[in-house]
Amino acid sequence: MEQEQRHITIVDESGNEQLCEVLHTFESEEFGKSYVLYSLVGAEEDADGQVEIFASSFTPSENGEDGELEPIESEAEWDLIEDVLNALEDELDDEE
């Protein structure tokens, strides 16, 4: 099953727009938020072949297409995101 590529545009600290590839989205009932995991399109891999992954919470807009990205605010949210990332990595490893 092929997943369709989705992209979002973020604005970095310098005000530059960056095109990002959405890697995964999920919702947390615990925090009552949705989250998006993404990486910069064309990002260079590090020595381990890894690309930096970013995470934000977001509030979908009413049309369900765009949303407002918000920074992750708590250690508990980061722990949740780390768990989701680890589960995704395990899934990918199983497919190989």
Side-chain angles (χ1 to χ4, degrees), residues 59-75:
T59 309
S61 61
E62 305 214 352
N63 66 13
E65 294 201 2
D66 298 322
E68 212 43 54
L69 291 179
E70 320 251 332
I72 309 290
E73 293 162 355
S74 72
E75 201 60 41

Side-chain angles (χ1 to χ4, degrees), residues 2-94:
E2 214 172 290
Q3 199 173 349
E4 77 179 65
Q5 295 293 324
R6 292 177 299 168
H7 293 94
I8 56 174
T9 302
I10 60 161
V11 178
D12 66 17
E13 301 88 31
S14 310
N16 300 314
E17 288 192 351
Q18 301 270 356
L19 185 62
C20 297
E21 179 181 339
V22 173
L23 303 173
H24 187 66
T25 57
F26 65 98
E27 292 179 17
S28 164
E29 287 183 14
E30 181 183 349
F31 297 108
K33 294 182 182 176
S34 297
Y35 296 91
V36 60
L37 305 176
Y38 56 95
S39 63
L40 297 176
V41 168
E44 296 289 315
E45 293 183 347
D46 66 16
D48 298 324
Q50 302 291 313
V51 173
E52 189 173 4
I53 294 176
F54 301 94
S56 294
S57 64
F58 75 97
T59 309
S61 61
E62 305 214 352
N63 66 13
E65 294 201 2
D66 298 322
E68 212 43 54
L69 291 179
E70 320 251 332
I72 309 290
E73 293 162 355
S74 72
E75 201 60 41
E77 286 178 280
W78 280 116
D79 290 345
L80 169 71
I81 288 162
E82 206 168 289
D83 290 345
V84 169
L85 270 174
N86 290 335
L88 287 172
E89 282 179 8
D90 291 346
E91 268 178 46
L92 288 174
D93 290 346
D94 291 347

